[in-house]
Amino acid sequence: MARTLLYLVRHGEQDPAADHDPDGGLSPLGREQADRLGKRLSTVPFDVVHHSPSARAAETAEIVGGHLPLVPRHGCDLVVDRTPVPSPERLGVYPQRWHAWFDGVPADERDEDAVALRAAVDGLGVTGERDRHELLITHNFVIGWFVRHVLDAPEWRWLGLNQANCGITVVQWDSERPPALVSFNDVGHL
């Protein structure tokens, strides 16, 4: 029975001067969070580290990678900062109170009907012939989508799942069982 454990981590705190600029790096606190995260995860037998190409995620991965020197890491388009927004015909699936909020989602983060996030789950949430441990350094809504998926929650339920910077969420795929949430937003190392 093979299983896949995905460790989903939100990047460290972004430098406030960057004001959500995807090219903005980490604050001093964000670098400290990433270092503590790396120490916490240093004994996990990771196969690979996937990280969002954003500067804050790449910098987090670089710091964490210092504690995982033999684990390959790479920028991964599957874990890019995305916001799953409903298409006009699917808007009714979401609670009315969120409809106006979707209008403010930046164009470069919009993932209509979660097409890209569904592909991320399909591509990463699989089992093979052997156990896998993979670290994904990504963004809040991406993690929320994975959690929503493994809990088989309504499509809109990613909303309101807030992941702390460098908090650890673990989801598991098992060849003989449905996917499961192992832990959510563990911040004991911070």
Side-chain angles (χ1 to χ4, degrees):
M1 170 170 51
R3 69 180 178 161
T4 297
L5 287 166
L6 298 181
Y7 290 69
L8 305 165
V9 173
R10 185 179 183 188
H11 56 79
E13 180 187 76
Q14 186 173 9
D15 185 341
D19 193 34
H20 301 290
D21 178 351
D23 294 325
L26 298 177
S27 70
L29 175 60
R31 287 188 289 280
E32 176 65 23
Q33 291 167 335
D35 186 58
R36 288 176 182 228
L37 173 67
K39 289 174 185 170
R40 170 77 181 275
L41 297 176
S42 65
T43 60
V44 178
F46 287 115
D47 298 292
V48 67
V49 176
H50 309 280
H51 65 81
S52 165
S54 74
R56 58 196 184 273
E59 189 175 345
T60 301
E62 182 178 333
I63 294 167
V64 170
H67 298 277
L68 305 167
L70 301 177
V71 180
R73 62 184 182 271
H74 66 101
C76 178
D77 288 339
L78 292 174
V79 296
V80 167
D81 193 3
R82 302 184 196 286
T83 304
V85 297
S87 60
E89 47 280 348
R90 297 209 32 86
L91 190 60
V93 171
Y94 283 75
Q96 177 73 34
R97 68 182 180 274
W98 294 102
H99 292 188
W101 181 82
F102 290 122
D103 294 336
V105 174
D108 60 335
E109 291 179 19
R110 297 177 77 82
D111 181 13
E112 191 169 286
D113 293 335
V115 170
L117 286 168
R118 291 176 201 280
V121 169
D122 290 345
L124 297 167
V126 295
T127 59
E129 294 184 16
R130 62 177 186 80
D131 289 352
R132 290 182 12 242
H133 294 79
E134 298 187 3
L135 175 58
L136 284 60
I137 299 176
T138 185
H139 305 275
N140 189 49
F141 296 154
V142 175
I143 296 168
W145 186 265
F146 271 84
V147 170
R148 181 222 62 80
H149 174 82
V150 300
L151 294 177
D152 200 21
E155 183 175 312
W156 61 270
R157 200 55 194 97
W158 62 270
L159 286 160
L161 293 176
N162 293 309
Q163 182 82 7
N165 292 108
C166 289
I168 304 166
T169 291
V170 181
V171 292
Q172 177 178 302
W173 273 261
D174 185 308
S175 58
E176 297 179 10
R177 297 185 188 121
L181 179 64
V182 176
S183 67
F184 179 73
N185 202 27
D186 178 352
V187 292
H189 53 289
L190 300 177

